[in-house]
């Protein structure tokens, strides 16, 4: 028989001591005293561990007591007054916070006139001409090299028609033409897909602005009528500026941040 | 020659029959000259009815308003001259409200968004409740703050004046109701508790049912409505039955309480014992707003456009007279606007089936309001439009488009000729009912407009919203 089973075998055959259960009960009753002497006497890390365990048990006990106490006395819990008061008809509805009304239009007009804007990307890497254009050879012997094809994303208006191919110097391929931009509102952090109205300024030069090339840092004007913004005078805002934040020729889409 | 004269004779007159909106004929069919316009017809009707003063009337032929002489109308619509033309005449309000067009004052004072505004029934006092837990009373003559009433623990969601103008009651987000003395701006007694969640609406018992105003009913998110007595300062009856939040409650002129709830039903309760009379089912989603055809008259009680004050015993009679005049012979009508983009027109005392379903909105209907004379229904919806419907038949009349954000609330002028709407896009717009066009645009708020009200005497409009200021507009 395995060596640990002999005790059990003896218990089965002869039973336990007569005062076994009494002694067990008394020993358990003394357990709290023993625990407390151990807690007081222990030194070093052992003492600290016991203290920590005791503390967490005490905190838990306090919580349960408080919970029990609460249910016995009928008092309405005081609710704190929250921010963002809404009327009763909006209380059960979760509404996404929409763009707030524009700041003063006069200030904006003044800024526009001065041509100075606070933009998210003040400096961008300049794009060289040989990166922007690719030389297209033309002519019977392919020796003429006066045509250029734009290699970056462009915007042409809806009324755009090409010049006759014999005379067009700058080719804007239709695969790189974009009409919509993904515009992010900087405060609300939500993105809308809005139509582009026009290219306002390309930091690389006025020639690129007139061609409608959109690179990183370009200011474009987008149609914001779906945001429902209203000026203080009561007029509906339908166009706002946004600055391009990615390299559209690499990504295939235009990401911009709205200038508020 | 004879042919010409006969033709000319026939062409000059047309056979018409004047009827009132309920169908009774005014005299018999008569010949009316074709160049008679609305003005001449008004004279005619006034003569027939033996009115002492010239009352204004508007005329409708087959639900279209008659603005041009009868002959022009006939030519345009190619109606045969042989048949009798039925012209329905409707009395318009005797007084004419001037449309407001300028902001006379922007009053700051609230520290949080203004959630509800209300003029007293006589139009002399103004109360507003806000998210800063105060109710403020404003002086209309100097357009400055009068009293700040503190006593609520959480946002003040609704505020209601008693129809005699002597009591002001407000409900808050913590479920408490405070009664205020509007003359001194003090709390009367302690806040009334009973509701466990926020108060969504308050409605007073009409003056013609009990003359010093004592009882009012409140609805709450916890699913029941309670009737309170302001003199006893406690809840008399609790109307429980709804399974979800009760969003709106109205005390009808015939002594029945209507409650609309998020559980898509409207329940009618009788007021002596609080028993459920009827349940109106039909909506597919939450009911946001209820409106009664006599609501405006019940709100203003014995006060009318003349601005006369009545002693207490005469008040009840005068209120009853006004109520009967507004109600007419037809039973009271109820319209309910819901999240399922439709509204129902009910005649609750007649049947529990709806009379008509008003569809057309493309987003949820937030607020519905009958015009003071009960002829029109205006509905404000989150689809940025306000729609106008015929108040008797429920037929769609026109949609007012112009707002660029969800329209939150509408309010009528006391003569039912102008409609005001406030929206999330921070503008208020005034629409004219006769031309069915935008009359005036009132921009100026810098954030969403949560509450609008037109004073019963028609002089001022007040609007409050998220930008924490109250704007008073004048004509």
């Amino acid at each position: 028989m395995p060596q640990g089973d002999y005790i059990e075998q003896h218990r089965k055959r002869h039973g336990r001591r007569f005062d076994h259960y009494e002694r067990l009960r008394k020993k358990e009753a003394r357990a709290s005293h023993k625990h407390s002497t151990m807690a007081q006497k222990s030194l070093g890390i052992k003492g600290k561990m016991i203290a920590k365990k005791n503390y967490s048990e005490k905190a838990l006990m306090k919580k349960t007591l408080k919970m029990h106490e609460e249910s016995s006395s009928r008092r309405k819990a005081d609710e704190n007054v929250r921010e963002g008061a809404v009327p009763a008809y909006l209380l059960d509805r979760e509404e996404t916070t929409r763009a707030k009304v524009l700041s003063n239009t006069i200030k904006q007009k003044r800024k526009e006139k001065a041509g100075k804007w606070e933009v998210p990307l003040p400096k961008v890497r300049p794009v060289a001409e040989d990166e922007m254009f690719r030389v297209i050879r033309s002519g019977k012997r392919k020796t003429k090299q006066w045509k250029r094809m734009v290699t970056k994303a462009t915007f042409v208006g809806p009324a755009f028609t090409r010049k006759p191919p014999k005379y067009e110097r700058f080719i804007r391929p239709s695969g790189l033409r974009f009409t919509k931009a993904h515009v992010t509102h900087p405060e609300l952090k939500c993105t809308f897909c809005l139509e582009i109205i026009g290219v306002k300024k390309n930091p690389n030069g006025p020639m690129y602005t007139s061609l409608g090339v959109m690179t990183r840092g370009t200011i474009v004007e987008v149609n914001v009528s779906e945001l429902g913004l209203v000026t203080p005078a009561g007029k509906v805002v339908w166009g706002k500026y946004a600055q391009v934040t990615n390299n559209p020729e690499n990504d295939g889409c235009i990401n911009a941040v709205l200038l508020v | 020659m004879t042919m010409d004269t006969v033709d000319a004779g026939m062409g000059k007159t047309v056979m018409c029959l004047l009827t009132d909106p309920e169908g009774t004929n005014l005299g018999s069919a008569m010949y009316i000259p074709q160049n008679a316009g609305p003005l001449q017809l008004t004279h005619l009707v006034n003569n027939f009815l033996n009115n002492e003063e010239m009352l204004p009337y508007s005329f409708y032929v087959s639900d279209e308003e008659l603005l041009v002489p009868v002959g022009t109308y006939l030519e345009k619509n190619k109606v045969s001259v042989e048949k009798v033309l039925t012209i329905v005449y409707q009395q318009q309000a005797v007084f004419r409200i001037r449309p407001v067009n300028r902001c006379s004052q922007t009053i700051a004072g609230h520290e949080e968004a203004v959630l509800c505004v209300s003029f007293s029934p006589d139009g002399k006092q103004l109360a507003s409740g806000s998210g800063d837990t105060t109710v403020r009373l404003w002086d209309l003559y100097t357009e400055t703050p009068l009293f700040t009433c503190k006593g609520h623990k959480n946002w003040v969601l609704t505020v209601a004046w008693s129809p005699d103008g002597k009591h002001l009651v407000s409900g808050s987000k913590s479920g408490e109701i405070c009664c205020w003395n509007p003359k001194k701006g003090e709390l009367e007694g302690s806040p009334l508790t009973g509701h466990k969640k926020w108060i969504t609406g308050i409605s007073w018992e009409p003056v013609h049912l009990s003359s010093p105003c004592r009882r009012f009913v409140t609805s709450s998110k916890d699913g029941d409505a309670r009737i309170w007595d302001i003199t006893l300062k406690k809840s008399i009856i609790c109307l429980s039955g709804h399974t979800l939040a009760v969003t709106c409650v109205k005390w009808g002129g015939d002594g029945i309480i209507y409650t609309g709830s998020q559980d898509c039903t409207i329940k009618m309760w009788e007021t002596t014992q609080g028993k459920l009379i009827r349940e109106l089912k039909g909506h597919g989603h939450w009911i946001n707003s209820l409106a009664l055809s006599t609501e405006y008259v019940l709100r203003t009680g014995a006060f009318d456009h003349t601005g006369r004050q009545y002693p207490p015993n005469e008040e009840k009679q005068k209120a009853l007279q006004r109520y009967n005049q507004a109600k007419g012979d037809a039973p009271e009508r109820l319209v309910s606007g819901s999240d399922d983009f439709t509204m129902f027109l009910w005649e609750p005392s007649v049947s529990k089936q709806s009379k008509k379903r008003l569809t057309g909105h493309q987003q949820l209907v937030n607020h519905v309001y009958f015009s003071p004379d009960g002829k029109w229904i205006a509905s404000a919806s989150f689809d940025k439009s306000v729609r106008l419907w015929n108040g008797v038949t429920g037929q769609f009349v026109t949609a007012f488009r112009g707002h660029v954000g969800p329209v939150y609330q509408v309010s009528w002028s006391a003569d039912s000729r102008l409609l005001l709407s406030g929206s999330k896009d921070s503008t208020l717009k005034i629409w004219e009912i006769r031309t069915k066009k935008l009359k005036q645009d009132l921009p100026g708020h810098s954030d969403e407009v949560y509450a609008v009200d037109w004073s019963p005497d028609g002089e001022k409009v007040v609007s409050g919203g998220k930008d924490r200021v109250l704007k008073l507009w004048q004509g």
Side-chain angles (χ1 to χ4, degrees), chain A residues 81-82 89 92-93 101 233-234, chain B residues 153 155 262 288 339 443 450:
Chain A
V81 182
R82 282 201 201 105
Y89 50 82
D92 273 330
R93 301 185 195 280
V101 186
Chain B
K153 290 204 188 79
W155 310 340
Q262 279 179 359
N288 290 327
D339 256 24
Y450 284 148

Side-chain angles (χ1 to χ4, degrees), chain A residues 10-11 18-19 29 56 77 97 101 111 119 139 152 155 183 197-198 213 231 243:
Chain A
H10 180 273
R11 277 199 197 133
F18 296 126
D19 53 1
S56 58
T97 48
V101 186
K111 269 193 210 165
V119 286
K152 307 280 181 194
F155 172 75
V183 184
I197 301 173
V213 171
T231 62
Q243 188 179 31

